[in-house]
Amino acid sequence: MKYMLMTFGDETSWDWDQWPREKVEDHFRNMSAFLEELQGTSELVTGEGLTPPSHALTVELRDGRPVASDGPYAESKEVLAGFLIVETESHDRALELAGRFAGLVESRVELRPVDEAAGPDYI
Protein backbone atom coordinates (compact mmCIF):
# COMPACT_ATOMS: atom_id res chain seq x y z
CA MET A 1 0.00 0.00 0.00
CA LYS A 2 1.16 3.54 -0.75
CA TYR A 3 1.26 6.25 1.91
CA MET A 4 1.95 9.96 1.81
CA LEU A 5 4.10 11.31 4.63
CA MET A 6 3.71 15.08 4.93
CA THR A 7 5.79 17.37 7.12
CA PHE A 8 4.54 20.69 8.39
CA GLY A 9 6.02 23.70 10.13
CA ASP A 10 5.85 27.45 10.17
CA GLU A 11 7.69 29.16 7.36
CA THR A 12 10.62 30.09 9.60
CA SER A 13 11.19 26.42 10.50
CA TRP A 14 12.72 25.87 7.07
CA ASP A 15 14.82 29.04 6.84
CA TRP A 16 18.25 27.46 6.35
CA ASP A 17 19.96 30.84 6.86
CA GLN A 18 18.76 30.80 10.49
CA TRP A 19 20.16 27.33 11.22
CA PRO A 20 23.78 26.78 12.28
CA ARG A 21 25.79 25.42 9.33
CA GLU A 22 26.47 22.12 11.16
CA LYS A 23 22.74 21.57 11.72
CA VAL A 24 21.96 22.16 8.03
CA GLU A 25 24.72 19.75 6.98
CA ASP A 26 23.55 17.13 9.51
CA HIS A 27 19.94 17.50 8.36
CA PHE A 28 20.76 16.95 4.70
CA ARG A 29 23.21 14.12 5.43
CA ASN A 30 20.66 12.30 7.62
CA MET A 31 17.81 12.91 5.16
CA SER A 32 19.95 11.63 2.27
CA ALA A 33 20.81 8.47 4.21
CA PHE A 34 17.12 7.89 5.01
CA LEU A 35 16.09 8.36 1.37
CA GLU A 36 18.91 6.10 0.14
CA GLU A 37 17.74 3.41 2.56
CA LEU A 38 14.17 3.70 1.23
CA GLN A 39 15.45 3.50 -2.35
CA GLY A 40 17.42 0.40 -1.41
CA THR A 41 14.31 -1.30 -0.01
CA SER A 42 12.24 -0.06 -3.01
CA GLU A 43 9.83 1.66 -0.61
CA LEU A 44 10.45 5.21 -1.87
CA VAL A 45 8.08 6.22 -4.66
CA THR A 46 8.88 9.96 -4.65
CA GLY A 47 9.38 12.92 -2.38
CA GLU A 48 10.12 16.61 -2.52
CA GLY A 49 10.65 19.62 -0.31
CA LEU A 50 8.46 22.58 -1.18
CA THR A 51 9.30 26.24 -1.62
CA PRO A 52 7.94 28.70 0.98
CA PRO A 53 4.23 29.62 0.77
CA SER A 54 5.20 33.07 -0.50
CA HIS A 55 5.78 31.30 -3.84
CA ALA A 56 2.37 29.61 -3.83
CA LEU A 57 -0.59 30.48 -6.00
CA THR A 58 -4.18 29.50 -5.44
CA VAL A 59 -6.00 28.72 -8.67
CA GLU A 60 -9.74 28.49 -9.13
CA LEU A 61 -12.01 28.33 -12.14
CA ARG A 62 -14.22 31.39 -12.75
CA ASP A 63 -16.45 31.56 -15.80
CA GLY A 64 -14.48 28.73 -17.34
CA ARG A 65 -11.10 30.46 -16.92
CA PRO A 66 -8.35 29.79 -14.39
CA VAL A 67 -7.80 32.71 -12.01
CA ALA A 68 -4.71 32.77 -9.82
CA SER A 69 -4.21 34.67 -6.59
CA ASP A 70 -1.08 34.95 -4.47
CA GLY A 71 -0.54 32.65 -1.54
CA PRO A 72 -1.69 29.29 -0.33
CA TYR A 73 -5.39 28.51 -0.11
CA ALA A 74 -5.41 27.89 3.64
CA GLU A 75 -4.61 30.67 6.09
CA SER A 76 -2.54 28.83 8.64
CA LYS A 77 0.51 29.23 10.82
CA GLU A 78 1.69 25.81 9.71
CA VAL A 79 2.43 25.05 6.09
CA LEU A 80 3.13 21.90 4.12
CA ALA A 81 6.92 21.90 3.84
CA GLY A 82 7.55 18.62 2.03
CA PHE A 83 6.34 15.11 1.40
CA LEU A 84 7.32 11.54 0.64
CA ILE A 85 5.30 8.84 -1.05
CA VAL A 86 6.29 5.39 0.18
CA GLU A 87 5.00 1.95 -0.69
CA THR A 88 5.16 -0.48 2.23
CA GLU A 89 4.07 -4.02 2.99
CA SER A 90 2.19 -2.96 6.12
CA HIS A 91 0.63 -0.08 7.98
CA ASP A 92 3.05 -0.74 10.86
CA ARG A 93 6.02 -0.20 8.53
CA ALA A 94 4.46 3.05 7.26
CA LEU A 95 4.07 4.19 10.90
CA GLU A 96 7.71 3.33 11.57
CA LEU A 97 8.88 5.34 8.55
CA ALA A 98 6.64 8.29 9.48
CA GLY A 99 8.16 8.29 12.97
CA ARG A 100 11.69 8.29 11.59
CA PHE A 101 10.79 11.06 9.13
CA ALA A 102 9.32 13.14 11.99
CA GLY A 103 12.60 12.76 13.85
CA LEU A 104 14.60 13.89 10.83
CA VAL A 105 12.50 16.97 10.16
CA GLU A 106 12.02 17.73 13.87
CA SER A 107 8.32 18.31 13.28
CA ARG A 108 5.10 16.37 13.20
CA VAL A 109 4.35 14.26 10.16
CA GLU A 110 0.92 13.40 8.78
CA LEU A 111 0.59 9.86 7.45
CA ARG A 112 -2.20 9.26 4.96
CA PRO A 113 -2.94 6.27 2.72
CA VAL A 114 -2.98 7.02 -1.00
CA ASP A 115 -6.32 6.21 -2.62
CA GLU A 116 -5.08 4.10 -5.49
CA ALA A 117 -8.64 3.29 -6.55
CA ALA A 118 -9.24 6.91 -7.58
CA GLY A 119 -8.56 7.72 -11.19
CA PRO A 120 -9.97 7.06 -14.65
CA ASP A 121 -11.03 3.52 -13.76
CA TYR A 122 -12.67 4.56 -10.49
CA ILE A 123 -16.13 5.23 -11.96
Side-chain angles (χ1 to χ4, degrees):
M1 178 153 204
K2 289 182 185 169
Y3 292 88
M4 184 175 212
L5 289 69
M6 296 168 277
T7 181
F8 297 84
D10 67 44
E11 193 166 343
T12 61
S13 299
W14 310 106
D15 186 352
W16 307 120
D17 294 331
Q18 301 303 314
W19 287 25
R21 182 178 176 87
E22 274 185 8
K23 185 175 179 178
V24 172
E25 290 171 355
D26 283 347
H27 172 78
F28 282 105
R29 182 175 38 257
N30 294 335
M31 186 63 73
S32 292
F34 180 61
L35 295 175
E36 285 175 19
E37 176 188 335
L38 294 179
Q39 286 175 329
T41 61
S42 299
E43 292 174 301
L44 181 65
V45 176
T46 191
E48 297 289 341
L50 301 175
T51 61
S54 58
H55 298 277
L57 292 176
T58 297
V59 180
E60 61 184 309
L61 203 57
R62 289 188 196 154
D63 298 323
R65 298 176 146 213
V67 177
S69 57
D70 289 341
Y73 176 74
E75 293 294 327
S76 173
K77 290 184 180 181
E78 287 191 317
V79 297
L80 179 62
F83 69 93
L84 297 176
I85 302 284
V86 297
E87 187 165 11
T88 63
E89 292 293 323
S90 70
H91 182 73
D92 287 343
R93 175 65 175 161
L95 281 171
E96 175 192 337
L97 296 177
R100 290 178 57 197
F101 189 45
L104 289 168
V105 298
E106 299 178 13
S107 182
R108 70 182 177 87
V109 167
E110 182 177 331
L111 175 66
R112 189 181 304 179
V114 172
D115 185 356
E116 295 186 81
D121 298 328
Y122 189 70
I123 302 173

